[in-house]
Amino acid sequence: QLHVMSWSERDWARLVEHITADKSLAGAVLEVLARTGLRIGDVLRMPIAELRRGQRSGRLLLEVKGGADRILDWEGAPKAWARLAVQARRAVDEAETIAFAVAPDANGDSTASGSAYKKVAAKLREHAKGLDGRANPHRLRRTVAVQALRVSGGDVEAVRRLLGHESQTTTRKYLDEATPERDAELARAVADRFGSAS
């Protein structure tokens, strides 16, 4: 059996629908991940005050994996960012991070072993019940990559910029690992079309 690293179109649509309907803070984090393709740790490290600045300026300053800064366009996912901003401000003081808002008892640890990560990952597994394959936050990122490749007409460089990879090599690994699923979807579409013509 092939190890598919992204969700099928149908499963993805269902998952995004569930995440969008979830009114929890962890659900808001998941929606940002699903709409932007960001790494979960990058979102969890973000100060809540930065969301307010981003809402006013249209730009978000994000400290990404490795400690580098990345500027994002708020308009890339305005409703998802706004929802996260409102829910995070309700949870804790704006000087704190999103991770602290999700798991104040864990002092905002946003590492893979941290409580905030675990809460968001558990919420994702809850929403992904009944879907094919394992559910984890990185699979969201990989699925966004596949969706972006489709929307961009195969523009790997655009996908690289969206995901914030330093090199296209990393982006291509994301997309190559999803190839068996994309091939299967294409084969089904061709079979369905052929079947409808007979």
Side-chain angles (χ1 to χ4, degrees):
Q1 185 178 16
L2 293 169
H3 182 56
V4 176
M5 298 300 292
S6 64
W7 277 289
S8 69
E9 290 274 347
R10 187 181 70 235
D11 283 352
W12 180 243
R14 181 175 161 210
L15 181 61
V16 170
E17 182 181 326
H18 285 243
I19 288 169
T20 305
D22 183 332
K23 301 304 177 197
S24 72
L25 181 55
V29 171
L30 286 171
E31 184 177 359
V32 166
L33 298 178
R35 304 274 185 215
T36 64
L38 290 168
R39 293 175 194 90
I40 183 172
D42 296 345
V43 174
L44 291 176
R45 275 190 298 274
M46 178 181 278
I48 295 167
E50 180 56 35
L51 286 170
R52 175 167 278 189
R53 280 191 294 274
Q55 211 164 10
R56 287 191 309 262
S57 70
R59 302 273 184 207
L60 290 160
L61 179 63
L62 192 68
E63 181 186 329
V64 296
K65 183 179 175 182
D69 286 340
R70 180 175 173 199
I71 296 175
L72 300 173
D73 184 354
W74 178 280
E75 294 306 313
K79 289 181 182 176
W81 284 119
R83 173 182 169 204
L84 181 61
V86 168
Q87 291 187 351
R89 282 197 305 265
R90 286 182 187 150
V92 295
D93 185 281
E94 286 192 39
E96 302 295 347
T97 62
I98 299 297
F100 191 85
V102 172
D105 55 320
N107 295 321
D109 179 7
S110 65
T111 63
S113 62
S115 184
Y117 181 101
K118 288 178 182 177
K119 281 188 176 182
V120 174
K123 183 61 78 168
L124 175 59
R125 285 190 301 275
E126 178 186 313
H127 288 305
K129 278 186 181 159
L131 301 185
D132 187 37
R134 294 177 54 212
N136 59 57
H138 202 67
R139 191 170 184 193
L140 281 179
R141 185 166 161 80
R142 288 182 179 274
T143 305
V144 170
V146 172
Q147 297 296 324
L149 187 70
R150 290 176 178 148
V151 169
S152 71
D155 187 345
V156 176
E157 177 59 19
V159 177
R160 183 200 68 77
R161 287 192 309 271
L162 175 71
L163 298 181
H165 288 150
E166 286 187 24
S167 120
Q168 270 194 18
T169 304
T170 305
T171 308
R172 287 183 189 282
K173 285 180 187 175
Y174 275 47
L175 300 172
D176 289 346
E177 288 176 7
T179 298
E181 182 191 34
R182 292 199 322 264
D183 292 348
E185 285 181 1
L186 182 61
R188 281 193 299 275
V190 169
D192 288 347
R193 185 175 206 132
F194 181 76
S196 66
S198 53

